[in-house]
């Protein structure tokens, strides 16, 4: 049948790959565990007929489901999203700002935060995350950094924090919330990878419990809803709910998938009824696996020893960040090994690490296969003559490009395609984002420097895909003229 997307999906499903990646239901495994019947999806697909509620003006079943979710997650108001957490982030930022406002954000935020700044014609004020030079990853934002940013920029309307990061590191979000509120500002949290935090005491504190005003969560990433279904939670009397609701309607389709909405309802039900038990099992499996990996030659799985360093206040025990520095190979090499030799697919690989996402949908067999595969990899690369260590390049504080134009200003300027090698000193005309994790390395309006070219080259060497660069060869870039 000439249906390329359907064919690709069936091929991956039939491969029976071990899915250490999102979505959190893990090919429906969690539904099987709990004997939850999710009927024929095609038959359930419908529109706002009588008896089926309207997402943008909920009165019956959607309204009831959102109220149940707000109680489960500890919010005053909860809004279901069918355009992903991206639309929630757009809405929460646009809902508390006006064009021309300044907003404080971490430099390692997701591209959706940057996109919201462009849409809202805002001025970004960057906080530089602490960098772990050994693992070569951005970690957390400290309360002290937030306070300095607020003192230096008293005009800023709000503070955005990414918590946790893609690598599972968490800032001291409660202290940050206290500081932000002391300055009379709102705290917005991108908690895309932390929807599960509210349901187990061994997990980091949830942003809502810590005092965040608005939180956007990818329910599909770490819980059991369908891909693209998320939630936006509000816990603050200072948020204009009507304005937020308007921007949510503006950013979402007028033809929402009721199947996705139903999956959000199911995800909430699962966590309320069985979440504690399911998470307890997964945390134990992850901790056992982490210990086994750390016994292997040349491998290190990020552990609690990192807490207290690089601004890290807590860590998500369900996220396994495996570093291959001592083995002398890149994360993308390890990714290829796991996929091609052991049919294991991880969520993310970079120049030095691979990230395995585990959720309530996993089973011990998956972890056993990962341990076995990593032991084999460790033994194979033990011979140093086989090692080809990649260079360490990271966007460090002094590498942040100078801003010549505000991001939205650059978007409306005329641009041209320039050779990458000859682009140093020119103003970038596009958002360049290695994906995953989806963190821009340069924004429209910033001046291209040598370090940016090094990062792009490192991505190319390590087969890390880049969104936004003018073509897939990674040899040209769009610049303002």
């Amino acid at each position: 049948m000439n249906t390329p997307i359907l064919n690709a999906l069936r091929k991956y499903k039939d491969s029976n790959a071990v899915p250490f990646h999102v979505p959190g239901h893990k090919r429906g495994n969690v539904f099987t565990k709990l004997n939850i019947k999710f009927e024929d999806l095609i038959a359930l697909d419908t529109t706002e007929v009588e008896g089926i509620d309207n997402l943008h003006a909920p009165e019956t079943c959607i309204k009831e489901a959102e109220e149940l979710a707000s109680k489960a997650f500890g919010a005053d108001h909860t809004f279901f999203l069918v355009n992903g957490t991206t639309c929630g982030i757009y809405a929460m930022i646009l809902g508390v700002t006006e064009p021309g406002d300044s907003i404080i954000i971490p430099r390692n935020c997701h591209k959706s935060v940057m996109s919201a700044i462009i849409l809202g014609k805002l001025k970004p004020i960057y906080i530089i995350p602490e960098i772990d030079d050994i693992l070569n990853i951005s970690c957390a934002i400290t309360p002290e950094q937030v306070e300095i940013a607020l003192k230096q920029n008293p005009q800023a309307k709000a503070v955005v924090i990414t918590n946790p990061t893609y690598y599972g590191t968490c800032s001291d979000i409660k202290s940050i919330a206290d500081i932000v509120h002391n300055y009379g500002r709102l705290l917005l949290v991108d908690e895309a990878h932390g929807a599960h935090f509210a349901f187990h005491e061994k997990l980091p504190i949830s942003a809502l419990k810590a005092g965040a005003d608005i939180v956007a969560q990818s329910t599909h990433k770490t819980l059991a809803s369908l891909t693209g279904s998320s939630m936006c939670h509000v816990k603050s009397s200072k948020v204009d709910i009507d304005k937020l609701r308007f921007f949510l309607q503006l950013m979402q389709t007028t033809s929402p998938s009721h199947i996705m909405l139903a999956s959000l309802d199911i995800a909430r039900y699962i966590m309320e009824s069985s979440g504690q038990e399911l998470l307890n099992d997964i945390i134990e499996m992850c901790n056992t696996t982490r210990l086994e990996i750390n016994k292997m030659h040349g491998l290190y799985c990020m552990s609690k020893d990192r807490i207290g360093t690089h601004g890290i206040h807590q860590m998500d025990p369900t996220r396994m960040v495996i570093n291959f520095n001592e083995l002398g190979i890149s994360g993308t090499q390890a990714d290829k090994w796991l996929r091609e030799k052991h049919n294991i697919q991880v969520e993310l690989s970079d120049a030095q690490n691979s990230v395995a996402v585990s959720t309530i949908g996993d089973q011990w067999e998956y972890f056993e296969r990962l341990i076995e595969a990593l032991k084999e990899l460790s033994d194979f690369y033990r011979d140093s003559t086989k090692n080809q260590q990649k260079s360490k390049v990271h966007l460090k504080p002094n590498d942040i490009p100078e801003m010549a134009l505000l991001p939205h200003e650059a978007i409306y300027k005329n641009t041209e395609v320039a050779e990458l090698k000859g682009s140093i000193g020119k103003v970038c005309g596009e958002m360049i984002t290695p994906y995953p994790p989806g963190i821009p390395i340069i924004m429209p309006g910033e001046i291209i420097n040598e370090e940016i070219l090094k990062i792009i080259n490192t991505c190319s060497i390590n087969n890390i895909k880049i969104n936004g660069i003018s073509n897939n060869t990674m040899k040209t870039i769009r610049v303002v003229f």
Side-chain angles (χ1 to χ4, degrees), residues 327-329 333 380-389:
L327 201 59
I329 63 171
Q333 281 179 283
F380 180 82
Y381 283 102
R382 185 183 291 266
D383 181 356
S384 62
T385 61
K386 299 173 185 171
N387 298 353
Q388 297 178 358
Q389 178 65 51

Side-chain angles (χ1 to χ4, degrees), residues 317-370:
T318 70
R319 188 143 305 203
M320 294 179 290
V321 180
I322 307 161
N323 182 269
F324 302 93
N325 277 350
E326 296 301 318
L327 201 59
I329 63 171
S330 69
T332 50
Q333 281 179 283
D335 184 312
K336 184 177 180 181
W337 172 285
L338 292 171
R339 185 175 59 256
E340 294 183 355
K341 294 185 178 295
H342 291 273
N343 202 20
I344 295 172
Q345 180 63 62
V346 296
E347 170 74 13
L348 155 70
S349 291
D350 60 30
Q352 293 172 226
N353 309 282
S354 288
V355 179
V357 173
S358 54
T359 73
I360 56 173
D362 285 322
Q363 52 202 33
W364 177 239
E365 176 195 347
Y366 294 170
F367 295 90
E368 288 180 315
R369 287 175 60 179
L370 180 63

Side-chain angles (χ1 to χ4, degrees), residues 125-307:
I125 298 165
Y126 296 116
I127 298 179
I128 312 303
E130 296 281 326
I131 305 296
D132 187 323
D133 285 317
I134 296 176
L135 301 183
N136 203 24
I137 62 173
S138 298
C139 295
I141 299 294
T142 67
E144 293 77 15
Q145 288 176 297
V146 173
E147 183 147 31
I148 290 171
L150 286 166
K151 280 183 179 178
Q152 293 177 345
N153 302 277
Q155 78 285 5
K157 282 290 185 72
V159 176
V160 177
I161 296 292
T162 303
N163 196 77
T165 67
Y166 215 143
Y167 295 87
T169 62
C170 297
S171 302
D172 184 353
I173 198 72
K174 187 177 188 308
S175 295
I176 289 173
D178 290 342
I179 290 168
V180 172
H181 292 153
N182 285 341
Y183 280 82
R185 298 296 180 254
L186 295 172
L187 177 62
L188 317 180
V189 178
D190 172 2
E191 199 177 41
H193 293 268
H196 55 310
F197 286 179
F199 299 99
H200 202 286
E201 66 278 0
K202 291 183 180 179
L203 295 175
I205 188 171
S206 73
L208 285 173
K209 188 175 182 180
D213 297 285
I214 313 179
V215 177
Q217 292 177 336
S218 295
T219 318
H220 65 97
K221 283 186 169 70
T222 59
L223 300 184
S225 67
L226 296 181
T227 297
S229 58
S230 299
M231 296 187 191
C232 181
H233 305 288
V234 180
K235 192 174 184 180
S236 173
S237 60
K238 295 181 179 180
V239 174
D240 186 335
I241 295 297
D242 290 334
K243 186 178 179 183
L244 176 64
R245 183 180 284 113
F246 170 80
F247 278 108
L248 284 170
Q249 290 180 15
L250 193 70
M251 296 297 166
Q252 297 211 80
T253 177
T254 55
S255 300
S257 165
H258 286 78
I259 297 173
M260 294 173 70
L261 294 172
S263 77
L264 287 168
D265 202 16
I266 292 172
R268 183 271 315 162
Y269 168 78
I270 287 173
M271 297 315 293
E272 280 194 311
S273 62
S274 308
Q276 182 82 7
E277 179 183 353
L278 290 170
L279 283 168
N280 199 61
D281 290 344
I282 292 303
I283 292 169
E284 184 176 338
M285 291 177 196
C286 286
N287 287 338
T288 299
T289 302
R290 191 173 285 109
L291 288 172
E292 289 300 314
I293 293 171
N294 284 331
K295 294 175 185 177
M296 299 177 195
H297 170 80
L299 301 188
Y300 169 73
C301 189
M302 192 188 295
S303 304
K304 288 184 178 180
D305 62 319
R306 281 295 190 277
I307 294 177

Side-chain angles (χ1 to χ4, degrees), residues 24-44:
H25 59 73
K26 300 297 180 86
R27 291 200 295 261
N29 285 349
V30 69
F31 305 131
T32 302
K33 281 185 183 183
L34 300 175
N35 196 30
I36 293 175
K37 304 299 182 184
F38 209 156
E39 299 98 324
D40 182 358
L41 296 185
I42 298 299
L44 291 176

